[in-house]
Amino acid sequence: MGDTATPPEARDPRRHDGRETFGRYLDDFVAGDEFVHWPGRTITEYDDTLFAALTMNQHPVHSDAAYAEGTQHGQRLVVGTLVFSLVVGMTVRDISGRAIANLQYDAVRHLAPAFHGDTIYARSTVLGVRRSERRPDRGVLEVETIAENQRGEPVLSFRRSVLLPCRPADGGAA
């Protein structure tokens, strides 16, 4: 299925498989740019139960409906790190699709709970772009991402730094 071993110059120029256009180079970002990540993602009970099991989160507020009814929210909550993981994933195409590395996540704030059936949407704002002084073929992108539920209520925010390559001198899609 994948043609990863064939060098780009040997590929059929009429065939486009997405690898050439997935993500952006550092040069494609300007401070103040805003990216609305689409589509949103509806979180199901299955998603939450599976994530809690995979991460060994045994808090009953995520799995025990009777227990959760007695809490301030009156229902089960989605695991906060599931919301965080989904939102990071939603940003990949626009923000880190060409990343060399995600360097740092900072100021992660859970602003409101998410519940089974909520749909999460996200947008990111470019805070800064700086080229590396030691390695001029790359640089650091800083963004802030805010996630909202289907009612437009903010549920999560965070900042992150991503190491990205600069556009190749030939302008290619390497």
Side-chain angles (χ1 to χ4, degrees):
M1 182 167 164
D3 189 14
T4 57
T6 306
E9 62 274 7
R11 292 188 193 132
D12 182 343
R14 295 162 301 185
R15 180 176 173 214
H16 301 281
D17 64 10
R19 287 178 284 185
E20 296 87 4
T21 60
F22 190 82
R24 292 178 166 80
Y25 292 102
L26 182 72
D27 314 83
D28 297 329
F29 295 95
V30 175
D33 283 351
E34 184 174 84
F35 294 88
V36 177
H37 309 295
W38 190 88
R41 176 66 155 74
T42 303
I43 301 173
T44 67
E45 179 178 5
Y46 176 79
D47 297 329
D48 191 39
T49 302
L50 179 60
F51 190 86
L54 289 171
T55 58
M56 298 178 66
N57 186 332
Q58 300 171 19
H59 196 294
V61 77
H62 304 301
S63 59
D64 184 329
Y67 173 86
E69 283 178 17
T71 67
Q72 70 181 34
H73 300 292
Q75 61 181 307
R76 288 171 292 163
L77 305 178
V78 171
V79 176
T81 50
L82 170 56
V83 177
F84 176 74
S85 295
L86 284 174
V87 173
V88 169
M90 291 168 66
T91 70
V92 170
R93 179 172 290 279
D94 297 318
I95 303 299
S96 59
R98 290 192 185 266
I100 297 167
N102 283 299
L103 300 175
Q104 178 176 337
Y105 292 93
D106 193 26
V108 177
R109 294 177 43 211
H110 295 276
L111 305 170
F115 305 104
H116 300 156
D118 278 354
T119 301
I120 305 299
Y121 299 95
R123 68 185 186 297
S124 295
T125 302
V126 175
L127 302 176
V129 181
R130 71 181 190 291
R131 243 191 165 105
S132 171
E133 293 178 18
R134 292 185 298 157
R135 306 269 317 256
D137 66 330
R138 61 194 63 191
V140 177
L141 172 70
E142 295 180 26
V143 298
E144 179 177 47
T145 300
I146 298 174
E148 298 177 339
N149 62 22
Q150 69 277 9
R151 294 178 297 282
E153 301 163 342
V155 296
L156 176 78
S157 68
F158 61 89
R159 293 179 178 206
R160 75 172 164 153
S161 299
V162 182
L163 183 63
L164 290 172
C166 295
R167 184 173 299 285
D170 64 5

